[in-house]
Amino acid sequence: MASAQNLNAVRETMDVLLEISKLLNTGLDMESLSICVRLCEQGINPEALSSVIKELRKASDAFKASESSTN
Amino acid sequence: MAALDQKSPNVLLQSLCCRITGKSEADVAHQFQYAVRVIGSNYAPTIERDEFLVSEKIKKELLKQRREADAALFSELHRKLQTQGVLKHRWSVLYLLLSLCEDPRKPSSRVPGYGALFAQGLPRDAHSTPFYCARPQSLALGYADRAGSMHTSASLGTSGISSLGTYTLNGPTLTPPCLLPQTQAPGDSLRQQLGPRLAWTLPPSASPSATAPTSRTSLGPPGPAVRALHRPRREGDDGVAEVSEVALVRDILYVFQGIDGKFIKMCSPENGYKIDAKMPLSKSLRDISSRLAELGWLHNKVRKYTDARSLDRAFGLVGQSFCASLHQELKEYYRLLSVLHSQLQVEDDQGVNLGSESTLTLRRLLVWTYDPKIRLKTLAALVDYCQGPKGGELASAVHAYGKTGDPYMRALVQHILGLVSHPILNFLYGWIYDGELEDTYHEFFVASDPTVKTDRLWHDKYSLRKSMIPSFITMDQARKVLLIGKSINFLHQVCHDRTPPGKITPASKSTESPKDAAELITDLEGAFQGKIDAAYFETSKYLLDILNKNYLLLEHLQAMRRYLLLGQGDFIRHLMDLLKPELARPATTLYQHNLTGILETAVRATNAQFDSSEILKRLDVRLLEVSPGDTGWDVFSLDYHVDGPIATVFTRECMSCYLRVFNFLWRAKRMEYILTDIWKGQMCNAKLLKAMPELSGVLHQCHILASEMVHFIHQMQYYITFEVLECSWDELWNKVQQAQDLDHIIAAHEVFLDTIISRCLLDNNSRSLLNQLRAIFDQIIEFQNAQDTLYRSALEELQFRLQFEEKKQQREAEGEWGVTAAEEAEEKKRIQEFQETIPKMRSQLRILTHFYQGIVQQFLVLLMSSSDESLQFLSFRLDFNEHYKARDPRLRVSLGATRGRRSSNV
């Protein structure tokens, strides 16, 4: 299953996707991207996923802001 | 990667949470739960799983951000991705990336970040499904307020501006099939068609759908208004505050009602709506506004007219109904305006963003007001055309406008015509069924002259007002209508017949509603004509029945004939016999009551006594004006009194005609009478005077002249009696029997009288003939006198001679000399004297004869050259043996020349 070709292709795909992601300025790093890709491959609704990610970011920002303010 | 694939979503999710928030797993429990919830609830995506579409969207995004190079790069990457074929749900990934995309120019805060790019999209998502294009041109308005987003549209594509520029020049070509209100499916399909083309920006092609993508970004259905809207936007600068379309729409709505708006004002010198030239308004907007402002102008026109006319009471009922119908139309128009206004209100209330189903743009207004514009145009044209007239003229004017091929206009004009003609028809029905005319504003085509008294009611009181006859009522119908009403009034006032009109015509009453009127107008040939005809027949028949039964019209007509036109021969003869000694006296000694007494005697003695008393009591003697030197013959005349309804037929003019004819006939009769006497005398005395042979020459002359005269008079009498009187009378009687109404009788009667007068040489043309005839009559009288003197002297002489003879015989019987010398000498002398008078008499007679013949010849010449055929025939009869022709070369020429030809060249 995991042939060298396959692995190569996958890596290439991921590179491409990372490029695209950078183009689109999504703010996703490689790992997050790979997780997202995996989730999407499994059939998760991308809309929902994106909203989740946005929510998480918002939360983290807020957290960071509160942290910085308290600090 | 393979190992990763096998992890469950939850695990992945958790790790994602940790990764993004940068915290440990324990801390993200809350977020994790939230995430799980969200994911779980929205498991199935609601969007189209179209990778291509998504990639297009991405490209668009990039282009929107003016990153064309990046867009190209993305295309490359995407292609590579496709070739690799590792991912199964590429679209999903791409969509995810797209949705996480951020515009680097936007402020960093993420929350507004949502709104920046996807503001249009998000509310739609909030509704139901994305890409739902139920919200059309709200976008246009949205653009108006968002100066920032304007250049997004402007920046569309490298060739975007220029290509769109060409579109502005070309103008909207085809309107896309789906206008408003939009439904989802067509929009979606259209979108899908258009989506791919976006990639290659906008090649400058004329295909209209290509322009749609400009609006596609705005997510509305590709309405032409948006296209139009983009045009002005292009020309304007971003920063200048252009007059927004909303404001213009508001203004236009005011203009529709005739009120000046902020930008569009009424410019009176040019009588039009003008947009303030200083306003920063694009040309196309200006054009559209001008076109829409026309509606306001039309409305003003119609409104002004109705306002002015409604107040004018003298405009009459027809005019009022016209104004009412115009008002009705305007009300419909106002209803439309209120609908439009409410639309605008709704938009204001709900805010620009949301907007309702359909918002107002100038284009939409154009489409919606197209039908009302046609209507208003027709109304304004009618108003123009009907500026002056009123009453029937107004109806004619409106009817003239109905002659158009456009069914819409025709229906409108018919409707107005129905309303307008309703009062006219009311008048009509009141008139023909009741004889009532309540027309204060002089709108009906029957006019009544209040100054006319009842005796002239039939002839003068009612007339047709030709200008007020509507053009859909023919002249014939109008005349019939006049006649019917006249008859009813005549019956009421002159005949004092008060039968209610319902009995006369069992017809329906007047139209109850304008709808009946409208139906009647459309069926003018059939129902309307039928109504009028029925009323006409019934009323006229009734009138004639009344006249004949109650007022004995026909009897009177016959009585006229018998007495005034000398129809009753024995009566006239007897009358003349009785009157002869009276009338020989000078006119001044005559008394009317004497003559009346004689008349009565004559009536009683002849068949005239069997006439009804009604007639006899009208018969009377009339003495004409006495001129000096007149004998009774010149002033005597019969008379026939008429009154009441009969006076309508036997008007005063008619009676004077009758009297003239009577005069003429009486004279002619008198000539006949005289000649009869002469002949009588001749017959009686001929034998007696045989004893005086010297008189035979004279007597012979007398006889000849007398027979000439007799012949002449006979022919004249024949002509008068048979050719003139009898023929005309026959015609008259036929016509009267067949007459359908009183007008026919009156007309026939007048024709009769005219014929008689012209044939009896009493009219103006035949004055010379008449003079000749009079001269002939005078000659006859002279002859009579001459003959009388002749006979008298002859008889005297005879008497003397007889006496002489007697004496002689007596003396001889006594034994004396029969005749003494002295007596004989005396006798001889007397005879000599007598015989000397004979040549005198002879010459006198000769002169008389010559004179008489000259006059007759002239008369014949005139007859020959007259244009009346019967007179020409008379001349043939008078000169049947060409006796006169031989004498008069003129006659020879004229007779030969004109025989068989009609000319007056002599």
Side-chain angles (χ1 to χ4, degrees):
Chain A
M1 201 145 135
S3 62
Q5 258 180 343
N6 215 4
L7 214 58
N8 228 10
V10 166
R11 190 169 301 122
E12 272 187 37
T13 309
M14 287 313 295
D15 285 338
V16 166
L17 283 176
L18 189 64
E19 281 284 330
I20 295 177
S21 158
K22 281 218 194 89
L23 268 182
L24 290 178
N25 201 12
T26 57
L28 288 170
D29 56 345
M30 189 57 171
E31 201 182 313
S32 318
L33 183 64
S34 67
I35 299 174
C36 291
V37 168
R38 264 181 280 165
L39 281 173
C40 287
E41 284 292 295
Q42 290 177 5
I44 299 286
N45 185 4
E47 294 172 315
L49 190 55
S50 81
S51 64
V52 165
I53 293 175
K54 284 180 193 157
E55 194 57 44
L56 287 173
R57 281 184 182 166
K58 210 168 38 166
S60 77
D61 282 346
F63 184 66
K64 281 200 193 99
S66 69
E67 253 187 21
S68 61
S69 65
T70 52
N71 286 357
Chain B
M1 290 285 187
L4 287 172
D5 284 337
Q6 281 153 12
K7 282 203 186 154
S8 77
N10 285 350
V11 175
L12 288 171
L13 209 51
Q14 187 160 36
S15 52
L16 183 64
C17 295
C18 298
R19 184 86 199 140
I20 291 180
T21 56
K23 293 216 236 117
S24 62
E25 284 198 1
D27 294 331
V28 299
H30 182 69
Q31 279 82 10
F32 177 60
Q33 276 169 9
Y34 167 76
V36 166
R37 204 171 57 238
V38 170
I39 299 282
S41 65
N42 276 357
Y43 199 72
T46 53
I47 50 172
E48 289 287 327
R49 305 180 188 201
D50 190 353
E51 175 198 354
F52 195 58
L53 205 60
V54 179
S55 71
E56 291 296 309
K57 282 194 79 61
I58 294 175
K59 282 191 211 125
K60 234 185 341 182
E61 263 309 310
L62 288 173
L63 288 175
K64 245 202 280 184
Q65 300 169 16
R66 288 213 174 100
R67 290 157 60 187
E68 293 87 358
D70 294 338
L73 198 58
F74 168 74
S75 312
E76 274 293 313
L77 294 170
H78 187 221
R79 224 169 17 88
K80 255 202 251 176
L81 205 60
Q82 280 173 328
T83 53
Q84 282 164 351
V86 170
L87 289 179
K88 282 195 232 92
H89 295 173
R90 272 199 298 274
W91 70 276
S92 175
V93 178
L94 285 176
Y95 184 76
L96 177 67
L97 292 176
L98 176 62
S99 56
L100 290 175
C101 169
E102 279 178 22
D103 193 343
R105 295 175 298 177
K106 289 274 168 39
S108 58
S109 73
R110 296 226 177 96
V111 172
Y114 294 105
L117 292 169
F118 299 106
Q120 297 99 2
L122 255 159
R124 274 192 314 183
D125 291 342
H127 280 176
S128 49
T129 55
F131 301 133
Y132 173 53
C133 29
R135 257 199 14 187
Q137 279 71 8
S138 62
L139 199 51
L141 298 175
Y143 273 173
D145 291 322
R146 250 175 278 139
S149 57
M150 262 191 271
H151 30 211
T152 55
S153 57
S155 65
L156 214 48
T158 48
S159 54
I161 298 178
S162 52
S163 64
L164 284 169
T166 49
Y167 292 128
T168 65
L169 292 177
N170 291 341
T173 48
L174 301 169
T175 59
C178 45
L179 276 180
L180 37 102
Q182 277 295 350
T183 57
Q184 181 186 356
D188 278 353
S189 59
L190 205 53
R191 225 182 37 254
Q192 282 165 22
Q193 289 166 23
L194 301 170
R197 293 206 206 111
L198 185 59
W200 326 111
T201 52
L202 303 160
S205 73
S207 100
S209 45
T211 61
T214 62
S215 60
R216 290 316 297 118
T217 46
S218 35
L219 308 143
V226 184
R227 221 181 300 140
L229 200 51
H230 283 284
R231 286 194 258 129
R233 293 289 158 260
R234 202 148 333 287
E235 293 161 26
D237 286 335
D238 281 355
V240 173
E242 281 191 9
V243 177
S244 69
E245 186 152 354
V246 179
L248 263 184
V249 165
R250 242 184 270 271
D251 249 18
I252 287 285
L253 281 186
Y254 283 129
V255 163
F256 279 170
Q257 294 171 4
I259 309 169
D260 282 350
K262 258 195 293 182
F263 311 115
I264 308 177
K265 294 194 176 39
M266 183 63 157
C267 176
S268 358
E270 297 170 35
N271 193 25
Y273 274 102
K274 284 242 161 276
I275 305 175
D276 217 344
K278 294 193 281 305
M279 300 305 305
L281 210 53
S282 70
K283 182 145 195 326
S284 63
L285 270 187
R286 226 181 261 273
D287 284 343
I288 299 184
S289 311
S290 304
R291 276 158 71 177
L292 288 170
E294 180 188 1
L295 212 59
W297 184 81
L298 291 172
H299 162 269
N300 269 2
K301 197 183 185 118
V302 178
R303 191 61 199 263
K304 209 167 40 174
Y305 181 80
T306 53
D307 286 342
R309 292 297 177 173
S310 320
L311 297 173
D312 183 8
R313 280 190 176 278
F315 199 35
L317 291 172
V318 176
Q320 297 285 347
S321 52
F322 182 55
C323 287
S325 64
L326 285 179
H327 217 81
Q328 226 178 23
E329 296 293 326
L330 279 183
K331 254 197 327 200
E332 288 291 325
Y333 175 67
Y334 287 143
R335 208 174 291 157
L336 169 71
L337 285 188
S338 64
V339 165
L340 291 174
H341 217 84
S342 65
Q343 288 261 311
L344 208 54
Q345 283 298 100
V346 162
E347 277 179 31
D348 285 345
D349 292 340
Q350 292 185 9
V352 171
N353 247 349
L354 288 181
S356 54
E357 288 283 294
S358 47
T359 55
L360 288 180
T361 62
L362 294 178
R363 277 294 164 150
R364 268 201 170 158
L365 283 181
L366 258 187
V367 170
W368 278 342
T369 56
Y370 185 69
D371 272 347
K373 199 199 285 207
I374 294 186
R375 264 184 119 82
L376 273 187
K377 264 200 187 139
T378 318
L379 291 178
L382 268 179
V383 157
D384 260 343
Y385 198 53
C386 303
Q387 274 299 336
K390 56 175 206 164
E393 285 177 325
L394 188 57
S396 303
V398 175
H399 181 242
Y401 243 85
K403 294 189 185 131
T404 169
D406 179 3
Y408 186 68
M409 203 162 118
R410 201 188 317 148
L412 175 63
V413 174
Q414 289 278 41
H415 174 67
I416 293 186
L417 185 66
L419 286 174
V420 158
S421 51
H422 180 235
I424 294 185
L425 282 179
N426 269 345
F427 280 142
L428 192 87
Y429 286 132
W431 175 245
I432 64 180
Y433 293 133
D434 295 331
E436 281 168 17
L437 194 64
E438 286 181 32
D439 181 19
T440 33
Y441 299 113
H442 306 292
E443 297 174 296
F444 194 42
F445 52 86
V446 173
S448 144
D449 188 354
T451 58
V452 173
K453 294 200 245 315
T454 45
D455 55 345
R456 296 292 301 177
L457 184 128
W458 185 264
H459 296 278
D460 292 343
K461 184 147 186 165
Y462 298 107
S463 54
L464 275 182
R465 228 184 251 133
K466 294 229 168 61
S467 58
M468 287 297 174
I469 302 181
S471 49
F472 45 84
I473 293 184
T474 64
M475 200 62 192
D476 192 42
Q477 286 172 337
R479 271 199 221 103
K480 277 201 182 143
V481 163
L482 177 69
L483 189 71
I484 297 169
K486 231 183 358 181
S487 314
I488 297 183
N489 273 309
F490 187 73
L491 280 170
H492 282 177
Q493 285 166 21
V494 180
C495 305
H496 304 293
D497 184 86
R498 290 258 150 212
T499 40
K503 267 208 201 149
I504 303 180
T505 31
S508 59
K509 284 309 272 179
S510 57
T511 49
E512 295 297 331
S513 70
K515 222 192 314 173
D516 290 348
E519 282 169 12
L520 216 54
I521 295 296
T522 50
D523 186 20
L524 271 174
E525 294 305 305
F528 189 60
Q529 182 78 15
K531 272 198 166 95
I532 290 185
D533 282 343
Y536 169 73
F537 281 132
E538 293 294 328
T539 320
S540 302
K541 197 155 80 76
Y542 186 73
L543 176 65
L544 287 178
D545 282 345
I546 292 281
L547 276 178
N548 287 341
K549 286 204 206 77
N550 298 0
Y551 293 97
L552 308 170
L553 179 69
L554 295 178
E555 273 80 6
H556 283 302
L557 207 56
Q558 279 178 324
M560 286 280 190
R561 163 101 175 88
R562 279 208 296 276
Y563 295 110
L564 285 185
L565 296 181
L566 309 186
Q568 185 91 15
D570 56 345
F571 166 72
I572 296 293
R573 192 75 215 223
H574 195 63
L575 186 64
M576 215 175 248
D577 285 338
L578 292 173
L579 281 173
K580 182 166 139 209
E582 287 286 330
L583 292 180
R585 296 206 319 249
T588 43
T589 57
L590 288 175
Y591 292 112
Q592 182 144 356
H593 55 266
N594 286 349
L595 298 173
T596 323
I598 296 177
L599 182 69
E600 296 277 317
T601 326
V603 165
R604 261 178 284 125
T606 62
N607 277 339
Q609 63 188 299
F610 301 122
D611 269 342
S612 78
S613 57
E614 186 60 41
I615 292 174
L616 289 174
K617 78 176 182 213
R618 292 173 186 267
L619 203 55
D620 202 3
V621 169
R622 173 204 273 260
L623 289 176
L624 304 171
E625 289 286 323
V626 177
S627 337
D630 273 350
T631 63
W633 288 108
D634 297 325
V635 300
F636 176 79
S637 174
L638 278 182
D639 198 7
Y640 196 88
H641 295 294
V642 283
D643 57 6
I646 319 177
T648 319
V649 178
F650 299 116
T651 60
R652 220 161 286 153
E653 291 89 19
C654 294
M655 290 313 293
S656 63
C657 286
Y658 270 121
L659 287 179
R660 278 170 71 195
V661 176
F662 172 80
N663 200 311
F664 179 76
L665 294 173
W666 183 255
R667 257 182 230 265
K669 199 96 196 175
R670 182 184 164 211
M671 293 302 125
E672 202 186 319
Y673 198 73
I674 289 173
L675 283 172
T676 325
D677 276 349
I678 291 175
W679 183 85
K680 244 195 309 191
Q682 283 178 352
M683 289 304 120
C684 295
N685 296 333
K687 286 225 177 77
L688 286 173
L689 293 175
K690 254 205 197 118
M692 293 174 30
E694 61 269 22
L695 277 179
S696 63
V698 179
L699 285 178
H700 187 61
Q701 256 181 319
C702 282
H703 288 173
I704 291 175
L705 186 56
S707 13
E708 267 189 38
M709 286 180 176
V710 162
H711 172 253
F712 182 83
I713 291 295
H714 264 165
Q715 292 305 316
M716 279 304 296
Q717 281 289 68
Y718 164 78
Y719 166 72
I720 290 171
T721 318
F722 288 107
E723 295 219 352
V724 177
L725 285 179
E726 282 301 315
C727 293
S728 308
W729 175 257
D730 198 44
E731 257 184 55
L732 173 69
W733 195 247
N734 278 346
K735 279 196 207 159
V736 164
Q737 297 285 24
Q738 289 169 0
Q740 283 177 335
D741 63 56
L742 195 53
D743 266 347
H744 288 170
I745 294 183
I746 293 178
H749 189 238
E750 289 191 4
V751 163
F752 169 69
L753 282 176
D754 280 340
T755 323
I756 292 183
I757 289 208
S758 71
R759 293 253 175 95
C760 287
L761 313 171
L762 288 171
D763 62 356
N764 292 340
N765 297 344
S766 327
R767 201 160 285 267
S768 47
L769 273 170
L770 191 62
N771 288 342
Q772 288 299 109
L773 205 56
R774 290 267 165 83
I776 292 176
F777 289 170
D778 290 337
Q779 286 303 305
I780 296 178
I781 295 174
E782 279 228 17
F783 173 64
Q784 187 195 36
N785 291 342
Q787 176 146 346
D788 275 346
T789 38
L790 171 68
Y791 278 150
R792 222 176 308 130
S793 59
L795 285 172
E796 222 180 84
E797 177 63 24
L798 191 66
Q799 197 68 22
F800 280 148
R801 287 197 198 174
L802 281 174
Q803 266 182 340
F804 186 71
E805 286 301 315
E806 252 185 49
K807 221 163 48 178
K808 199 159 91 176
Q809 276 178 3
Q810 199 189 10
R811 284 232 197 100
E812 280 183 355
E814 286 174 1
E816 286 179 3
W817 288 115
V819 169
T820 60
E823 281 174 355
E824 221 172 300
E826 212 182 287
E827 185 72 18
K828 258 205 190 84
K829 203 168 73 174
R830 207 196 60 240
I831 290 175
Q832 194 81 19
E833 273 173 19
F834 179 71
Q835 281 175 346
E836 268 162 24
T837 60
I838 291 176
K840 226 191 298 172
M841 273 183 250
R842 197 177 287 175
S843 61
Q844 193 186 26
L845 273 176
R846 209 179 299 137
I847 291 172
L848 206 66
T849 315
H850 191 75
F851 206 50
Y852 169 77
Q853 280 177 344
I855 295 177
V856 170
Q857 268 158 17
Q858 250 180 328
F859 185 67
L860 281 174
V861 167
L862 282 172
L863 272 184
M864 277 311 290
S865 54
S866 89
S867 52
D868 195 349
E869 259 185 354
S870 48
L871 287 174
Q872 286 183 339
F873 288 144
L874 178 63
S875 79
F876 293 162
R877 263 200 301 279
L878 286 172
D879 195 27
F880 69 97
N881 54 3
E882 298 187 359
H883 170 75
Y884 294 103
K885 184 164 157 206
R887 295 187 187 218
D888 190 348
R890 262 189 323 169
L891 266 180
R892 235 174 284 146
V893 167
S894 67
L895 283 175
T898 61
R899 211 167 274 227
R901 238 194 302 144
R902 236 175 287 200
S903 75
S904 50
N905 55 359
V906 180

